[in-house]
Amino acid sequence: MSARRGWMIASVDLTEAARRPLFWLWAVVMALNAWLMSRGIWIYRSVDTSLGSPRAWANSEFQIGFVLPLLSFLLIAFFVAVAAGMPVIRDRERRVDAILQATPLTPGEYVWGKFIAALAACLAVMAVFLAVLLLFVHGLPDASTPDIYGPFEALAYLRPMLLLLLPGLVFTAGAAFLIGAATGRPILVFLLPVVLLPFLQDFVWRWFPPDLGPVAGAALRYLDPSGFRWLKETWLR
């Protein structure tokens, strides 16, 4: 019975999310980024062009893995924070929480239903992004630059999505939901991605002092929910 009540909360929230302009705007923005990736615009380039090595395919696992962690905190984190942090706050503003106290619904069912709905809505937008990327790469590629595409490999898309984008998305959603539920203040929810990005960009992604020991380096890698520091240490440095 408890799972059924939790699913009812989640289904109501998912229906409401589908009517919100935020998710449609986010889906359009992600579709645009998928098009940029398919045209080789969102692409890693070597600083030293004299090396003469071939550039990675636009749909290679390396290239997709390079772009997704950047997208997750340059762009996606803001939408995820709003989507996950605001539902409980909106319910409090509407005084829905007072009505729910008169029902058999438990706090755990309510909280998990709300969070699962927010997370599912975010994953739906990521599914749109992946579908549009596949469409533009393999269905409607750029005919003027056919050499930037490689053969279709499902793992080239799925592994970066699961290992480099999904953990950061779940982390941001969980942190935003916690802040929204604990404080009830939208400004703190909106501040989360604003604080996260400079912290990751200036301290985690770019800070490589020569005297940094292996233990400290490993700690910084674990502090990075995007996995981008590991990617830079392993393949780019």
Side-chain angles (χ1 to χ4, degrees), residues 3-208:
R4 182 181 178 183
R5 289 196 294 258
W7 171 246
M8 288 177 61
I9 293 290
S11 61
V12 170
D13 262 35
L14 278 171
T15 303
E16 183 180 359
R19 294 195 297 262
R20 290 190 169 275
L22 172 73
F23 285 97
W24 293 105
L25 172 63
W26 185 16
V28 170
V29 171
M30 293 307 299
L32 174 61
N33 277 276
W35 178 81
L36 292 174
M37 288 177 64
S38 73
R39 268 40 186 176
I41 299 172
W42 247 117
I43 199 163
Y44 175 73
R45 293 177 176 86
S46 173
V47 176
D48 186 2
T49 57
S50 65
L51 295 176
S53 59
R55 192 172 64 176
W57 284 323
N59 61 319
S60 68
E61 183 176 350
F62 172 81
Q63 182 56 47
I64 296 171
F66 171 77
V67 174
L68 290 186
L70 295 178
L71 272 180
S72 63
F73 284 95
L74 291 173
L75 175 64
I76 297 174
F78 172 77
F79 290 98
V80 171
V82 175
M86 292 303 295
V88 174
I89 295 176
R90 281 195 297 267
D91 279 1
R92 288 178 181 173
E93 292 174 347
R94 299 167 181 170
R95 302 192 182 279
V96 175
D97 53 344
I99 299 175
L100 293 175
Q101 291 176 4
T103 70
L105 192 69
T106 66
E109 294 164 353
Y110 171 75
V111 166
W112 278 109
K114 286 283 183 181
F115 180 70
I116 289 173
L119 189 59
C122 295
L123 293 177
V125 176
M126 295 303 101
V128 170
F129 164 74
L130 182 58
V132 173
L133 180 60
L134 288 169
L135 172 65
F136 281 123
V137 170
H138 299 285
L140 300 170
D142 187 358
S144 63
T145 56
D147 57 321
I148 70 171
Y149 304 108
F152 172 76
E153 291 286 347
L155 284 179
Y157 297 91
L158 295 179
R159 194 150 42 190
M161 292 285 291
L162 294 176
L163 298 181
L164 297 175
L165 186 141
L166 185 60
L169 188 151
V170 174
F171 169 80
T172 306
F177 189 88
L178 176 62
I179 293 171
T183 67
R185 301 181 64 182
I187 186 63
L188 296 181
V189 173
F190 301 150
L191 276 175
L192 174 64
V194 176
V195 172
L196 268 178
L197 179 58
F199 169 75
L200 292 173
Q201 193 169 16
D202 297 332
F203 182 66
V204 178
W205 294 347
R206 292 182 177 178
W207 193 55
F208 292 93

